[in-house]
Amino acid sequence: MTESYEVVFQQVAVGDLLELLNALEVSSEVLSDLGVSESLGDILLAEIDKKLIDGIVSYEGDICLTGRLYKFNVSNEICLPFVFLRVIKYANGIDVELSFDDTRLFDIGGLMRIMQIYADGLSKKINMVGFYGGLEPAIDIDTRYFTGDVLGPLG
């Protein structure tokens, strides 16, 4: 059975959300299949742009933006074939999640360490409360590889 993993950027600052999503998109070869859980009127889902982000941020209520990132470069040596992107706006803030399956191409412990370094680099440029990664759902502290720069039980 294939395990699923995720990295979560917690409570990303509204003003930095577009910058974070652009950085994630630049790390991949293709971003496709954008979808949103609620209607945003005439906003097109062709690309992640300021109009789309403004629509999500100003939406009154919870909303989720999803997309698919193909050939996601975590580092110069590691490229994940597919990463599922979720942007979840809820009452307390906005989280951005990256989910992927164990590809068997990489040692998962090593891959999660590289993901920690990748997330840490982004956290230095983007205002957010924190980041963590682990088995999906990574909210479970017992199945985390890392929380910020601290290794978790699986790390």
Side-chain angles (χ1 to χ4, degrees):
M1 182 173 151
T2 302
E3 298 282 358
S4 293
Y5 301 86
E6 74 178 344
V7 173
V8 177
F9 300 96
Q10 283 183 290
Q11 296 184 18
V12 176
V14 169
D16 287 352
L17 180 59
L18 182 58
E19 183 180 350
L20 174 59
L21 295 176
N22 285 338
L24 295 173
E25 185 175 358
V26 166
S27 292
S28 66
E29 192 170 297
V30 175
L31 168 66
S32 68
D33 300 328
L34 288 176
V36 67
S37 64
E38 308 299 329
S39 175
L40 292 176
D42 64 348
I43 296 175
L44 299 176
L45 294 175
E47 63 182 342
I48 294 176
D49 59 11
K50 184 173 180 351
K51 188 173 181 180
L52 175 59
I53 297 307
D54 288 348
I56 289 169
V57 168
S58 65
Y59 184 80
E60 293 185 24
D62 298 347
I63 190 169
C64 180
L65 170 71
T66 60
R68 298 174 186 270
L69 299 164
Y70 292 95
K71 295 187 179 178
F72 187 79
N73 293 297
V74 182
S75 71
N76 290 334
E77 297 82 30
I78 296 183
C79 178
L80 296 173
F82 168 73
V83 173
F84 188 69
L85 169 70
R86 281 185 298 266
V87 178
I88 303 168
K89 179 192 167 263
Y90 55 100
N92 296 328
I94 299 172
D95 291 349
V96 175
E97 302 175 351
L98 302 174
S99 299
F100 54 93
D101 291 336
D102 185 357
T103 66
R104 308 266 184 231
L105 299 174
F106 309 106
D107 165 64
I108 194 62
L111 171 59
M112 291 304 285
R113 177 68 182 125
I114 298 296
M115 288 297 288
Q116 180 183 24
I117 293 166
Y118 177 84
D120 185 55
L122 287 173
S123 76
K124 289 178 174 30
K125 301 175 197 170
I126 306 294
N127 291 312
M128 63 182 76
V129 169
F131 63 91
Y132 57 87
L135 281 167
E136 196 166 358
I139 191 79
D140 183 352
I141 294 171
D142 293 333
T143 61
R144 284 196 190 164
Y145 280 83
F146 60 86
T147 302
D149 62 356
V150 177
L151 294 179
L154 300 181

